Amino acid sequence: MAATEDKRMAPTLFEFICFMVTGARGLVDEPAAYGPFRLIDGTSRLIEALDKAGISDPFAARLRERIEEGKTLARDDREAFVGLIDELAVELARELKRRRG
Amino acid sequence: MDREQLLELMTGRRSVRRFRDEPVPGPILDDLITAALAAPTGSNIQSWQFIVLDQPGQVDELNMLSPGMFGSPTAAVVIAIDQNRCRELASRVGEVVGIMDVAMAAENIMLTAHGLGLGTCAIRSFHPGAVGELLDLPEHITPELIVSIGWPDEEPGQPPRRPIEEVVFYGRYGG
């Protein structure tokens, strides 16, 4: 394998980059409500991509489970979806405090 | 300070989003807070609360919960409102007045910082619940605005402004 090929990122991470860039362009024309969904779905995809690339984190894994359980709320119950995002944000803050040295 | 210097100060402030990795000394932060506390406050209610972050790691944690914060400022002030105080002392207009007071205090911080060679940026794009959790804010103390502070590593140009005749009138609207 050529030396330059060794420096490529894991395929799953490259896929994530493709998702983000194409998603950004799509959102220019798509309904505004798609934006939060793309970001939360993107969060889940990033966690999965990192895990497949050998970078795992138990907290992130639990976060992804909650996102996967609740992300269809974006379509079915906007208020509940917003509530889910608010809960996840506060849990991130709690985890930040726990990880302080 | 003469008139020209004053106008230069007032019109030269820019929102800075790139900072040098250099701490802001405590006495300078004290000056910024002194200026903030001198801002007008409706009926002198002073429902504001200021949380100053200047220790390594503190601003980084805030940054993680604030999508609107760019660069790596070495200090920040989170300006919050005591909602209980607002309701008790200002009734129904309390919330609006409280936010106006926060904005005026923030502007005092930003102009004073500019005069001292610092860069700042006013940030509303953060998650209030997460920031409240991070800073151990009681439920009735709500974060309203963040001012990032640091030694600027850029000199932004003036952003486009609407023509003065579109926004300034004398005597009556359209006059």
Side-chain angles (χ1 to χ4, degrees):
Chain A
M1 183 179 285
T4 49
E5 290 182 72
D6 291 336
K7 295 178 184 170
R8 285 184 299 187
M9 66 177 63
T12 56
L13 291 172
F14 187 76
E15 281 171 29
F16 175 72
I17 291 173
C18 293
F19 169 80
M20 290 297 282
V21 172
T22 55
R25 180 56 185 89
L27 285 171
V28 171
D29 301 318
E30 288 164 354
Y34 284 25
F37 174 77
R38 291 272 182 261
L39 285 174
I40 284 297
D41 184 41
T43 302
S44 176
R45 289 173 186 242
L46 175 61
I47 295 169
E48 183 186 26
L50 287 167
D51 187 62
K52 286 182 178 174
I55 304 169
S56 51
D57 181 298
F59 174 82
R62 286 194 301 276
L63 197 79
R64 180 166 182 260
E65 276 173 24
R66 295 219 31 215
I67 291 171
E68 289 301 307
E69 278 168 15
K71 69 183 184 183
T72 54
L73 290 170
R75 179 195 63 210
D76 304 329
D77 186 339
R78 185 175 180 273
E79 198 175 315
F81 180 64
V82 171
L84 171 64
I85 301 173
D86 282 340
E87 283 172 22
L88 296 178
V90 172
E91 282 178 30
L92 283 166
R94 286 197 191 112
E95 182 65 13
L96 264 175
K97 287 161 70 173
R98 270 194 289 269
R99 292 186 184 204
R100 282 174 185 161
Chain B
M1 181 184 282
D2 63 25
R3 182 181 165 208
E4 202 174 307
Q5 287 171 319
L6 176 61
L7 279 176
E8 169 64 33
L9 172 71
M10 301 299 283
T11 60
R13 182 212 56 81
R14 299 286 181 266
S15 292
V16 170
R17 296 179 177 91
R18 275 208 335 253
F19 302 91
R20 301 198 304 269
D21 185 16
E22 209 176 308
V24 180
I28 291 185
L29 289 171
D30 290 343
D31 287 347
L32 301 186
I33 293 299
T34 298
L37 294 172
T41 152
S43 299
N44 202 32
I45 286 169
Q46 302 174 64
S47 61
W48 47 37
Q49 305 269 277
F50 300 87
I51 297 95
V52 180
L53 304 179
D54 64 343
Q55 298 303 304
Q58 289 180 340
V59 182
D60 292 339
E61 288 181 348
L62 183 67
N63 205 334
M64 290 183 215
L65 306 172
S66 310
M69 186 180 288
F70 292 91
S72 300
T74 48
V77 178
V78 178
I79 312 177
I81 290 177
D82 182 336
Q83 297 293 348
N84 288 351
R85 190 177 176 86
C86 267
R87 268 190 300 273
E88 284 161 24
L89 299 179
S91 191
R92 283 177 299 194
V93 299
E95 191 177 342
V96 170
V97 170
I99 289 173
M100 289 164 65
D101 294 350
V102 163
M104 291 189 285
E107 183 68 355
N108 273 20
I109 289 173
M110 291 188 288
L111 287 173
T112 305
H114 174 56
L116 295 172
L118 288 162
T120 59
C121 190
I123 297 155
R124 185 58 184 96
S125 193
F126 59 89
H127 194 280
V131 169
E133 171 66 38
L134 184 73
L135 302 178
D136 299 328
L137 298 184
E139 208 169 302
H140 68 282
I141 308 285
T142 58
E144 301 294 340
L145 195 66
I146 295 171
V147 180
S148 61
I149 304 165
W151 301 104
D153 197 22
E154 62 172 359
E155 288 183 24
Q158 184 176 39
R161 291 283 162 167
R162 293 170 66 188
I164 193 168
E165 56 272 14
E166 274 186 25
V167 297
V168 178
F169 309 106
Y170 293 91
R172 60 175 181 83
Y173 180 75

